[in-house]
Amino acid sequence: MYEVLAMLTHDEFQYLLKLEKEFTQPQVSLPLPGNRDAFDLINRPSDERFVLDVNRSGKIELSKYSLQNRHQRTKLPLVRVDIDSPPHRNPDGTKVSRNHIHIYQADGTGDENRNLPWAYEISDILNTTNYDFMNIWDQFCAYCHIDSSNVQRVM
């Protein structure tokens, strides 16, 4: 459907985003504040594989964290949430707050897509203003179609 390390079309991105994903591990423990981890995900019918990065390693602000869903084969990040990070400036000059979500865009900008240059206010995409880790975790997993039923919940 697409080439390794190539850009994704909008339809390919939508296809990957909508695939139901599950953890390859039978039990998952999320990292506590100050730590990070990466987890392998799979869509069993298609055998498409993904990586979920959970970064809670904020040193100065313990409330800072990010969640990122990456496609394993192309290495492209699909969606990333940043909480209590620096405000983000989009390529067109618009600015979004410290709590924002990056979503892959097939806009022809090449390698910039590896860094997800466009961000949106979380409340516009996930429909929440509660930035508690577990609330955003639940919203992020739902948006990315990740089954988190075998995940040990944390504070």
Side-chain angles (χ1 to χ4, degrees), residues 5-43:
L5 298 177
M7 285 184 45
L8 299 171
T9 66
H10 178 74
D11 290 342
E12 290 166 336
F13 162 73
Q14 288 296 319
Y15 167 77
L16 293 171
L17 182 65
K18 290 178 182 176
L19 285 176
E20 296 294 328
K21 301 159 191 78
E22 61 185 64
F23 289 87
T24 59
Q25 302 169 238
Q27 290 294 316
V28 175
S29 295
L30 294 173
L32 296 173
N35 297 293
R36 66 174 60 198
D37 208 342
F39 303 95
D40 293 327
L41 305 170
I42 189 169
N43 171 268

Short mmCIF file of all heavy atoms in Angstrom, two decimals, residues 5-43:
data_model
loop_
_atom_site.label_atom_id
_atom_site.label_comp_id
_atom_site.label_asym_id
_atom_site.label_seq_id
_atom_site.Cartn_x
_atom_site.Cartn_y
_atom_site.Cartn_z
N LEU A 5 9.50 4.14 4.66
CA LEU A 5 10.09 5.46 4.85
C LEU A 5 9.56 6.51 3.89
O LEU A 5 10.09 7.60 3.80
CB LEU A 5 11.62 5.40 4.79
CG LEU A 5 12.28 4.54 5.86
CD1 LEU A 5 13.79 4.50 5.66
CD2 LEU A 5 11.96 5.04 7.26
N ALA A 6 8.51 6.20 3.15
CA ALA A 6 7.90 7.18 2.26
C ALA A 6 6.85 7.96 3.04
O ALA A 6 6.44 7.57 4.12
CB ALA A 6 7.24 6.48 1.08
N MET A 7 6.45 9.08 2.49
CA MET A 7 5.33 9.80 3.08
C MET A 7 4.06 8.98 2.88
O MET A 7 3.95 8.21 1.94
CB MET A 7 5.17 11.15 2.40
CG MET A 7 6.20 12.16 2.81
SD MET A 7 5.89 13.77 2.06
CE MET A 7 4.15 13.99 2.28
N LEU A 8 3.14 9.17 3.76
CA LEU A 8 1.83 8.53 3.64
C LEU A 8 0.87 9.50 2.96
O LEU A 8 0.94 10.70 3.20
CB LEU A 8 1.28 8.18 5.01
CG LEU A 8 2.08 7.22 5.88
CD1 LEU A 8 1.48 7.16 7.28
CD2 LEU A 8 2.11 5.84 5.25
N THR A 9 -0.02 8.97 2.16
CA THR A 9 -1.11 9.81 1.66
C THR A 9 -2.11 9.99 2.79
O THR A 9 -2.06 9.31 3.82
CB THR A 9 -1.82 9.15 0.47
OG1 THR A 9 -2.49 7.97 0.93
CG2 THR A 9 -0.84 8.81 -0.66
N HIS A 10 -3.03 10.91 2.60
CA HIS A 10 -4.08 11.12 3.61
C HIS A 10 -4.87 9.84 3.83
O HIS A 10 -5.16 9.47 4.97
CB HIS A 10 -5.00 12.27 3.20
CG HIS A 10 -6.11 12.49 4.16
ND1 HIS A 10 -5.92 13.08 5.39
CD2 HIS A 10 -7.43 12.16 4.10
CE1 HIS A 10 -7.06 13.11 6.04
NE2 HIS A 10 -8.00 12.57 5.29
N ASP A 11 -5.21 9.14 2.76
CA ASP A 11 -5.98 7.89 2.89
C ASP A 11 -5.20 6.81 3.62
O ASP A 11 -5.76 6.07 4.42
CB ASP A 11 -6.42 7.38 1.51
CG ASP A 11 -7.49 8.26 0.88
OD1 ASP A 11 -8.13 9.06 1.61
OD2 ASP A 11 -7.69 8.16 -0.34
N GLU A 12 -3.90 6.71 3.35
CA GLU A 12 -3.07 5.72 4.05
C GLU A 12 -2.98 6.05 5.54
O GLU A 12 -3.08 5.16 6.38
CB GLU A 12 -1.66 5.68 3.43
CG GLU A 12 -1.65 5.07 2.05
CD GLU A 12 -0.36 5.33 1.30
OE1 GLU A 12 0.36 6.32 1.60
OE2 GLU A 12 -0.06 4.54 0.39
N PHE A 13 -2.82 7.34 5.85
CA PHE A 13 -2.79 7.75 7.26
C PHE A 13 -4.11 7.39 7.93
O PHE A 13 -4.12 6.82 9.03
CB PHE A 13 -2.52 9.25 7.38
CG PHE A 13 -2.90 9.80 8.73
CD1 PHE A 13 -2.12 9.52 9.84
CD2 PHE A 13 -4.04 10.55 8.90
CE1 PHE A 13 -2.48 10.00 11.11
CE2 PHE A 13 -4.41 11.04 10.14
CZ PHE A 13 -3.64 10.75 11.25
N GLN A 14 -5.23 7.72 7.30
CA GLN A 14 -6.54 7.41 7.88
C GLN A 14 -6.71 5.91 8.09
O GLN A 14 -7.23 5.48 9.12
CB GLN A 14 -7.66 7.96 6.99
CG GLN A 14 -7.79 9.46 7.03
CD GLN A 14 -8.18 9.96 8.41
OE1 GLN A 14 -9.02 9.39 9.09
NE2 GLN A 14 -7.55 11.05 8.82
N TYR A 15 -6.27 5.12 7.12
CA TYR A 15 -6.35 3.65 7.23
C TYR A 15 -5.57 3.18 8.46
O TYR A 15 -6.08 2.41 9.27
CB TYR A 15 -5.79 3.02 5.95
CG TYR A 15 -5.53 1.54 6.07
CD1 TYR A 15 -6.56 0.60 6.01
CD2 TYR A 15 -4.22 1.07 6.24
CE1 TYR A 15 -6.31 -0.76 6.13
CE2 TYR A 15 -3.97 -0.29 6.34
CZ TYR A 15 -5.00 -1.19 6.29
OH TYR A 15 -4.75 -2.54 6.41
N LEU A 16 -4.33 3.64 8.61
CA LEU A 16 -3.49 3.22 9.74
C LEU A 16 -4.06 3.70 11.07
O LEU A 16 -4.06 2.97 12.06
CB LEU A 16 -2.06 3.73 9.57
CG LEU A 16 -1.28 3.10 8.41
CD1 LEU A 16 0.03 3.84 8.20
CD2 LEU A 16 -1.05 1.61 8.64
N LEU A 17 -4.54 4.93 11.11
CA LEU A 17 -5.09 5.47 12.34
C LEU A 17 -6.30 4.67 12.80
O LEU A 17 -6.46 4.37 13.99
CB LEU A 17 -5.47 6.94 12.16
CG LEU A 17 -6.02 7.64 13.40
CD1 LEU A 17 -4.96 7.72 14.50
CD2 LEU A 17 -6.54 9.02 13.05
N LYS A 18 -7.15 4.27 11.86
CA LYS A 18 -8.41 3.59 12.20
C LYS A 18 -8.26 2.10 12.49
O LYS A 18 -9.19 1.47 12.99
CB LYS A 18 -9.44 3.82 11.10
CG LYS A 18 -9.90 5.26 11.07
CD LYS A 18 -10.88 5.53 9.96
CE LYS A 18 -11.27 7.00 9.96
NZ LYS A 18 -12.15 7.32 8.86
N LEU A 19 -7.10 1.53 12.21
CA LEU A 19 -6.90 0.12 12.53
C LEU A 19 -6.97 -0.09 14.04
O LEU A 19 -6.41 0.69 14.81
CB LEU A 19 -5.53 -0.37 12.04
CG LEU A 19 -5.36 -0.62 10.56
CD1 LEU A 19 -3.91 -1.01 10.26
CD2 LEU A 19 -6.31 -1.69 10.06
N GLU A 20 -7.66 -1.14 14.46
CA GLU A 20 -7.71 -1.49 15.87
C GLU A 20 -6.34 -2.02 16.28
O GLU A 20 -5.81 -2.92 15.63
CB GLU A 20 -8.79 -2.53 16.14
CG GLU A 20 -10.19 -2.05 15.85
CD GLU A 20 -10.64 -0.93 16.79
OE1 GLU A 20 -10.22 -0.92 17.96
OE2 GLU A 20 -11.41 -0.07 16.33
N LYS A 21 -5.78 -1.44 17.34
CA LYS A 21 -4.44 -1.81 17.78
C LYS A 21 -4.52 -2.41 19.18
O LYS A 21 -5.29 -1.95 20.01
CB LYS A 21 -3.53 -0.59 17.79
CG LYS A 21 -3.41 0.08 16.42
CD LYS A 21 -2.95 1.51 16.56
CE LYS A 21 -3.08 2.28 15.27
NZ LYS A 21 -4.45 2.73 14.98
N GLU A 22 -3.67 -3.40 19.43
CA GLU A 22 -3.60 -3.98 20.77
C GLU A 22 -2.13 -4.15 21.14
O GLU A 22 -1.26 -4.26 20.28
CB GLU A 22 -4.34 -5.31 20.85
CG GLU A 22 -3.79 -6.37 19.93
CD GLU A 22 -4.63 -7.64 19.95
OE1 GLU A 22 -5.80 -7.58 19.53
OE2 GLU A 22 -4.08 -8.68 20.37
N PHE A 23 -1.88 -4.17 22.44
CA PHE A 23 -0.52 -4.37 22.93
C PHE A 23 -0.09 -5.81 22.65
O PHE A 23 -0.90 -6.73 22.74
CB PHE A 23 -0.44 -4.08 24.43
CG PHE A 23 -0.57 -2.63 24.75
CD1 PHE A 23 -1.81 -2.05 24.94
CD2 PHE A 23 0.56 -1.83 24.85
CE1 PHE A 23 -1.94 -0.71 25.22
CE2 PHE A 23 0.44 -0.49 25.13
CZ PHE A 23 -0.81 0.08 25.32
N THR A 24 1.17 -6.00 22.32
CA THR A 24 1.68 -7.35 22.08
C THR A 24 1.96 -8.06 23.40
O THR A 24 2.03 -9.28 23.42
CB THR A 24 2.95 -7.33 21.22
OG1 THR A 24 3.96 -6.56 21.87
CG2 THR A 24 2.67 -6.77 19.82
N GLN A 25 2.12 -7.31 24.49
CA GLN A 25 2.34 -7.89 25.81
C GLN A 25 0.99 -8.22 26.45
O GLN A 25 0.03 -7.47 26.29
CB GLN A 25 3.04 -6.89 26.73
CG GLN A 25 4.36 -6.38 26.26
CD GLN A 25 4.81 -5.22 27.14
OE1 GLN A 25 5.03 -4.16 26.63
NE2 GLN A 25 4.93 -5.42 28.44
N PRO A 26 0.92 -9.30 27.24
CA PRO A 26 -0.35 -9.63 27.89
C PRO A 26 -0.74 -8.63 28.99
O PRO A 26 -1.91 -8.37 29.20
CB PRO A 26 -0.12 -11.02 28.47
CG PRO A 26 1.34 -11.24 28.46
CD PRO A 26 1.94 -10.31 27.45
N GLN A 27 0.24 -8.07 29.70
CA GLN A 27 0.00 -7.07 30.74
C GLN A 27 0.96 -5.90 30.52
O GLN A 27 2.14 -6.12 30.26
CB GLN A 27 0.21 -7.64 32.14
CG GLN A 27 -0.85 -8.64 32.56
CD GLN A 27 -2.21 -7.97 32.71
OE1 GLN A 27 -2.32 -6.88 33.28
NE2 GLN A 27 -3.24 -8.59 32.20
N VAL A 28 0.45 -4.69 30.67
CA VAL A 28 1.25 -3.49 30.43
C VAL A 28 1.21 -2.60 31.67
O VAL A 28 0.14 -2.31 32.20
CB VAL A 28 0.72 -2.71 29.21
CG1 VAL A 28 1.46 -1.40 29.03
CG2 VAL A 28 0.80 -3.57 27.97
N SER A 29 2.39 -2.18 32.12
CA SER A 29 2.51 -1.22 33.21
C SER A 29 3.04 0.08 32.64
O SER A 29 4.15 0.11 32.07
CB SER A 29 3.46 -1.74 34.29
OG SER A 29 2.94 -2.89 34.90
N LEU A 30 2.28 1.14 32.78
CA LEU A 30 2.70 2.44 32.26
C LEU A 30 3.80 3.02 33.15
O LEU A 30 3.83 2.76 34.35
CB LEU A 30 1.51 3.39 32.22
CG LEU A 30 0.41 3.03 31.24
CD1 LEU A 30 -0.78 3.95 31.41
CD2 LEU A 30 0.93 3.09 29.82
N PRO A 31 4.69 3.82 32.57
CA PRO A 31 5.74 4.43 33.38
C PRO A 31 5.16 5.46 34.35
O PRO A 31 4.19 6.14 34.05
CB PRO A 31 6.65 5.09 32.34
CG PRO A 31 5.81 5.27 31.14
CD PRO A 31 4.79 4.18 31.16
N LEU A 32 5.80 5.53 35.50
CA LEU A 32 5.44 6.53 36.50
C LEU A 32 6.08 7.86 36.13
O LEU A 32 6.99 7.90 35.29
CB LEU A 32 5.91 6.06 37.88
CG LEU A 32 5.24 4.79 38.39
CD1 LEU A 32 5.91 4.32 39.67
CD2 LEU A 32 3.75 5.00 38.59
N PRO A 33 5.64 8.97 36.75
CA PRO A 33 6.28 10.26 36.46
C PRO A 33 7.80 10.16 36.64
O PRO A 33 8.29 9.51 37.56
CB PRO A 33 5.65 11.19 37.50
CG PRO A 33 4.31 10.60 37.75
CD PRO A 33 4.53 9.10 37.69
N GLY A 34 8.53 10.79 35.73
CA GLY A 34 9.98 10.75 35.75
C GLY A 34 10.57 9.67 34.86
O GLY A 34 11.78 9.57 34.72
N ASN A 35 9.71 8.85 34.23
CA ASN A 35 10.17 7.73 33.41
C ASN A 35 9.53 7.76 32.03
O ASN A 35 8.59 8.50 31.79
CB ASN A 35 9.86 6.40 34.10
CG ASN A 35 10.58 6.26 35.42
OD1 ASN A 35 11.80 6.15 35.44
ND2 ASN A 35 9.84 6.31 36.51
N ARG A 36 10.04 6.90 31.17
CA ARG A 36 9.49 6.75 29.82
C ARG A 36 9.57 5.29 29.42
O ARG A 36 10.36 4.52 29.96
CB ARG A 36 10.23 7.62 28.81
CG ARG A 36 11.67 7.20 28.59
CD ARG A 36 12.40 7.94 27.50
NE ARG A 36 12.46 9.35 27.78
CZ ARG A 36 12.74 10.28 26.88
NH1 ARG A 36 12.98 9.94 25.65
NH2 ARG A 36 12.78 11.54 27.21
N ASP A 37 8.77 4.92 28.42
CA ASP A 37 8.80 3.55 27.89
C ASP A 37 8.17 3.57 26.50
O ASP A 37 7.50 4.52 26.12
CB ASP A 37 8.04 2.59 28.80
CG ASP A 37 8.56 1.17 28.75
OD1 ASP A 37 9.27 0.82 27.78
OD2 ASP A 37 8.25 0.40 29.67
N ALA A 38 8.42 2.51 25.76
CA ALA A 38 7.82 2.33 24.43
C ALA A 38 7.20 0.94 24.40
O ALA A 38 7.76 -0.01 24.94
CB ALA A 38 8.88 2.47 23.34
N PHE A 39 6.04 0.83 23.78
CA PHE A 39 5.29 -0.42 23.75
C PHE A 39 4.95 -0.79 22.31
O PHE A 39 4.54 0.07 21.53
CB PHE A 39 4.00 -0.27 24.56
CG PHE A 39 4.24 0.13 25.99
CD1 PHE A 39 4.19 1.47 26.36
CD2 PHE A 39 4.54 -0.82 26.96
CE1 PHE A 39 4.42 1.85 27.67
CE2 PHE A 39 4.77 -0.45 28.27
CZ PHE A 39 4.72 0.89 28.63
N ASP A 40 5.07 -2.05 22.01
CA ASP A 40 4.72 -2.55 20.68
C ASP A 40 3.22 -2.81 20.61
O ASP A 40 2.62 -3.37 21.53
CB ASP A 40 5.48 -3.85 20.37
CG ASP A 40 6.97 -3.62 20.22
OD1 ASP A 40 7.36 -2.53 19.74
OD2 ASP A 40 7.75 -4.52 20.58
N LEU A 41 2.64 -2.39 19.49
CA LEU A 41 1.21 -2.59 19.21
C LEU A 41 1.08 -3.34 17.89
O LEU A 41 1.96 -3.25 17.03
CB LEU A 41 0.49 -1.25 19.08
CG LEU A 41 0.60 -0.27 20.24
CD1 LEU A 41 0.04 1.08 19.84
CD2 LEU A 41 -0.12 -0.82 21.46
N ILE A 42 -0.04 -4.02 17.72
CA ILE A 42 -0.28 -4.75 16.48
C ILE A 42 -1.76 -4.71 16.13
O ILE A 42 -2.62 -4.65 17.00
CB ILE A 42 0.21 -6.22 16.60
CG1 ILE A 42 0.16 -6.91 15.24
CG2 ILE A 42 -0.58 -6.98 17.65
CD1 ILE A 42 0.86 -8.27 15.21
N ASN A 43 -2.04 -4.71 14.84
CA ASN A 43 -3.38 -4.98 14.34
C ASN A 43 -3.30 -6.40 13.79
O ASN A 43 -2.62 -6.64 12.79
CB ASN A 43 -3.79 -4.00 13.25
CG ASN A 43 -5.08 -4.42 12.59
OD1 ASN A 43 -5.07 -5.12 11.58
ND2 ASN A 43 -6.19 -4.01 13.17
#
